[in-house]
Amino acid sequence: MGEQGELAAEKHVRYIVTAEKKKDSFESLVMEHLRASGAYWGLTTLDLLHKLHAVDAAEVVDWIMSCYHPESGGFGGNVGHDPHVLYTLSAVQVLCLFDRLDVLDADKIADYITGLQNEDGSFSGDIWGEVDTRFSYISICTLSLLHRLHKINVEKAVEYIVSCKNLDGGFGAMPGGESHAGQIFCCVGALAITGSLHHIDRDLLGWWLCERQCRDGGLNGRPEKLADVCYSWWVLSSLIIIDRVHWIDKEKLAKFILNCQDKENGGISDRPDNAVDIYHTYFGVAGLSLMEYPGVKPIDPAYALPLDVVNRIFLTKQQ
Amino acid sequence: MHFVDQIAESNPKNYQVWHHKRWLAEKIGPDAANSEHDFTRKILAMDAKNYHAWSHRQWVLQALGGWESELQYCNQLLEEDVFNNSAWNQRYLVVTRSPILGGLAAMRDSEVDYTVEAIMVNPQNESPWRYLRGLYKDDNNLLVADNRISDACLKVLNKDWTCVFALSFLLDLLRMGLQPSDELKGTIEAMENSDPETGHADIAVAVCSILQKCDPLRINYWSWYQTTLSS
């Protein structure tokens, strides 16, 4: 590959580490309410690039725990923000990276999530009741990482996810919702973690997913929309889970992702020549990881954490 | 609700605001249906594919009603942009779930005509091809027997033999048991410059190899598809 087709790993590491420190930058302000997720995106990227040690682990763990609400068992997006499952998963994932699950009251967190499961098997995001298959994935993923998946009604959870399956083989946010790659990742990931992939028509969904590849090599999230680097994750991980990733042109996708880099200042954007952000930087690197790009650690497609982190959680003695 | 609407208008991709609207609308009840539909219409006029707006609109329909003009609304959006997959998805919801239209079986005939027309105007549009499949849901026999559909594939291919959507649909029809007409065989032979084929399985294989050339991004998919044709 020529100079154009290289991953500017050092630049991306510097971009992330600097962004983490600049708490009053524009990007920081815009991200304020979801800083916990920002931490997950940034830190996982660092780990994938073998640079997790570039940040102070103790400092990060302390900050994450300052987002914890001991009364409810959930984490907020930032210090003082109300708890929500979105940030609870991000917090648990960050602690997984640093192998610090010991600081958690796993039972209390499990209770928080269990309390958010509804009668029809769906999950609310928080006490205000919004329902979305994203929250099904988040709840299942979090509990699985904490070895407490059995605390929810798994059968009903799976039932609800399957009710969101559309005729094209894809999944929406709720029954009848348009198939969307992000929602598909959540449903496929959740079904994978719960051992329920037999509910998926792999050939049908695999075809819908591989149809996301556009002429420029990038992937979109729904028919007739533009390619966006984040779908390099949502579509690719889904394809890998259902064992159909060979149905896209991986080389062209890798070229697309690499073209979305800011090779001067670091970071990756949604499409070439746009402004970079932490979110797309993570998804670009994660996508390259799924395609075994040299120098990038392998990532688990269902848990969205480096493979060695996931192995450490599941192959060593349970807590 | 007016206060929340103002916030939602300037932040149409914020999940929490939409959920708050839902919470309020639930408290107001069926009277909220019209104003909620007006509101999502406004948001969709700015971004016709806004996933939140569509989720909200679907929730309002199913929880509070307002189905009467929904099909017409889909018509309007598709007239503005026939490539709007969200509108096609909504159309499917209306056709299959509206309590006043009679269900899929009752609507199927007119919907096939509508969809074939949309395809003729813009064959390079993924959505109507998928919609067409959805109209026949689990009934492959009915799908194969509907001449309008195989005719549509043929018409498109006669104008543009590289149209991947038409080739792919045709391939599925052949695998489901479509007996190709002489005209169809002729068209495919012309594409492939091959000798006259006999059984339909060979025609399917021919279409598959054409697809591998026309849709190189997905060459592995079409190669796999070919292996399923051996029976």
Side-chain angles (χ1 to χ4, degrees):
Chain A
M1 267 188 192
E3 212 226 73
Q4 232 193 346
E6 268 168 28
L7 178 65
E10 286 301 315
K11 296 275 183 173
H12 300 319
V13 168
R14 206 163 309 157
Y15 165 70
I16 293 168
V17 170
T18 318
E20 193 254 324
K21 295 200 195 323
K22 278 198 280 178
K23 287 189 172 53
D24 52 1
S25 70
F26 176 72
E27 189 179 354
S28 214
L29 284 166
V30 155
M31 262 186 31
E32 201 203 323
H33 64 290
L34 46 66
R35 198 171 167 79
S37 295
Y40 158 71
W41 297 321
L43 294 167
T44 309
T45 309
L46 288 179
D47 197 5
L48 289 173
L49 297 173
H50 305 272
K51 292 288 196 289
L52 190 60
H53 52 270
V55 299
D56 183 326
E59 216 180 281
V60 172
V61 171
D62 277 345
W63 182 81
I64 286 282
M65 288 316 291
S66 68
C67 298
Y68 179 61
H69 290 256
E71 348 70 65
S72 64
F75 285 78
N78 206 332
V79 184
H81 288 221
D82 289 340
H84 194 288
V85 289
L86 285 167
Y87 312 116
T88 305
L89 173 61
S90 295
V92 169
Q93 285 172 315
V94 168
L95 292 171
C96 286
L97 290 174
F98 292 104
D99 196 16
R100 292 306 312 276
L101 290 176
D102 58 289
V103 305
L104 292 176
D105 181 350
D107 287 318
K108 183 79 188 175
I109 297 173
D111 286 343
Y112 171 67
I113 291 175
T114 312
L116 291 168
Q117 184 169 28
N118 303 307
E119 261 186 63
D120 60 1
S122 68
F123 284 84
S124 299
D126 63 9
I127 50 172
W128 296 102
E130 181 192 358
V131 168
D132 187 320
T133 47
R134 286 180 299 147
F135 307 143
S136 299
Y137 166 73
I138 285 167
S139 303
I140 286 167
C141 185
T142 309
L143 288 174
S144 178
L145 289 169
L146 297 175
H147 306 292
R148 281 156 175 78
L149 192 52
H150 55 275
K151 290 206 160 189
I152 52 159
N153 186 333
V154 176
E155 208 185 302
K156 281 243 108 176
V158 168
E159 212 180 278
Y160 179 76
I161 292 169
V162 174
S163 77
C164 298
K165 190 165 54 162
N166 295 318
L167 278 180
D168 50 24
F171 295 83
M174 281 170 300
E178 188 184 359
S179 291
H180 180 288
Q183 310 293 150
I184 288 171
F185 162 74
C186 291
C187 293
V188 171
L191 292 175
I193 294 173
T194 54
S196 320
L197 284 174
H198 55 275
H199 290 288
I200 292 176
D201 183 334
R202 294 179 187 228
D203 295 330
L204 184 60
L205 178 57
W207 179 51
W208 189 94
L209 288 168
C210 80
E211 284 282 339
R212 295 310 108 231
Q213 189 158 33
C214 308
R215 253 181 257 260
D216 57 11
L219 304 173
N220 64 22
R222 309 178 249 174
E224 303 299 327
K225 291 214 85 182
L226 296 175
D228 181 326
V229 153
C230 67
Y231 295 110
S232 309
W233 171 264
W234 310 120
V235 173
L236 208 53
S237 51
S238 304
L239 280 170
I240 288 191
I241 292 172
I242 62 170
D243 196 25
R244 298 288 185 273
V245 74
H246 50 287
W247 282 356
I248 61 153
D249 186 327
K250 290 194 260 184
E251 214 181 289
K252 277 202 111 181
L253 175 61
K255 281 205 183 98
F256 176 83
I257 297 172
L258 293 169
N259 277 341
C260 295
Q261 299 178 95
D262 180 340
K263 300 192 101 172
E264 258 185 62
N265 305 306
I268 297 176
S269 60
D270 58 350
R271 48 191 78 94
D273 301 324
N274 276 359
V276 305
D277 57 51
I278 297 272
Y279 173 89
H280 289 96
T281 305
Y282 163 68
F283 287 114
V285 173
L288 290 171
S289 166
L290 288 175
M291 294 190 285
E292 299 171 351
Y293 193 87
V296 185
K297 270 198 200 175
I299 190 170
D300 184 290
Y303 289 98
L305 284 167
L307 205 51
D308 58 352
V309 171
V310 173
N311 287 340
R312 186 173 62 209
I313 293 168
F314 290 105
L315 300 180
T316 52
K317 199 163 174 235
Q318 288 188 20
Q319 284 142 44
Chain B
M1 182 67 95
H2 293 304
F3 171 71
V4 180
D5 281 354
Q6 284 176 336
I7 302 175
E9 244 183 274
S10 18
N11 297 281
K13 293 196 176 176
N14 177 298
Y15 286 98
Q16 286 70 29
V17 162
W18 285 104
H19 179 65
H20 195 57
K21 279 184 62 59
R22 201 165 307 186
W23 185 79
L24 285 169
E26 245 171 349
K27 303 230 171 280
I28 300 170
D31 285 342
N34 283 333
S35 54
E36 288 309 295
H37 284 313
D38 282 343
F39 183 78
T40 50
R41 201 181 264 259
K42 215 168 159 184
I43 299 295
L44 291 169
M46 295 189 278
D47 172 7
K49 301 184 185 183
N50 182 317
Y51 200 89
H52 306 270
W54 281 114
S55 295
H56 189 68
R57 202 170 170 90
Q58 289 188 346
W59 175 81
V60 174
L61 281 171
Q62 290 173 107
L64 305 174
W67 292 95
E68 300 75 29
S69 51
E70 197 63 10
L71 189 61
Q72 182 45 40
Y73 181 54
C74 292
N75 286 339
Q76 180 206 317
L77 286 177
L78 289 172
E79 233 166 284
E80 289 165 18
D81 177 13
V82 74
F83 294 89
N84 186 339
N85 193 64
S86 305
W88 282 102
N89 184 72
Q90 186 73 348
R91 196 179 180 96
Y92 195 73
L93 184 90
V94 173
V95 160
T96 51
R97 300 201 200 192
S98 166
I100 53 178
L101 288 176
L104 181 57
M107 294 293 293
R108 181 179 286 140
D109 209 48
S110 54
E111 286 301 296
V112 170
D113 285 334
Y114 179 86
T115 311
V116 167
E117 207 184 306
I119 285 173
M120 287 301 133
V121 171
N122 266 301
Q124 300 287 4
N125 179 356
E126 191 177 345
S127 305
W129 292 99
R130 290 198 177 273
Y131 186 77
L132 206 49
R133 243 172 261 257
L135 289 176
Y136 279 99
K137 230 170 138 172
D138 304 309
D139 210 324
N140 290 342
N141 292 330
L142 272 184
L143 174 60
V144 171
D146 191 337
N147 290 324
R148 293 174 290 180
I149 295 175
S150 42
D151 281 350
C153 291
L154 186 56
K155 273 200 200 110
V156 170
L157 289 173
N158 278 330
K159 279 196 239 162
D160 173 14
W161 68 270
T162 65
C163 179
V164 174
F165 298 127
L167 287 167
S168 156
F169 207 103
L170 182 61
L171 187 56
D172 284 345
L173 290 173
L174 290 168
R175 190 172 58 167
M176 288 178 217
L178 174 74
Q179 295 304 313
S181 63
D182 289 332
E183 205 194 333
L184 187 58
K185 285 187 208 171
T187 303
I188 293 167
E189 279 157 27
M191 287 184 228
E192 259 240 319
N193 284 327
S194 56
D195 293 32
E197 309 285 352
T198 42
H200 81 264
D202 296 319
I203 299 264
V205 170
V207 174
C208 239
S209 53
I210 293 168
L211 277 161
Q212 284 169 66
K213 290 192 209 105
C214 297
D215 193 19
L217 272 182
R218 279 164 279 273
I219 193 170
N220 291 338
Y221 174 73
W222 300 118
S223 309
W224 165 80
Y225 199 119
Q226 196 161 322
T227 67
T228 70
L229 296 173
S230 42
S231 45

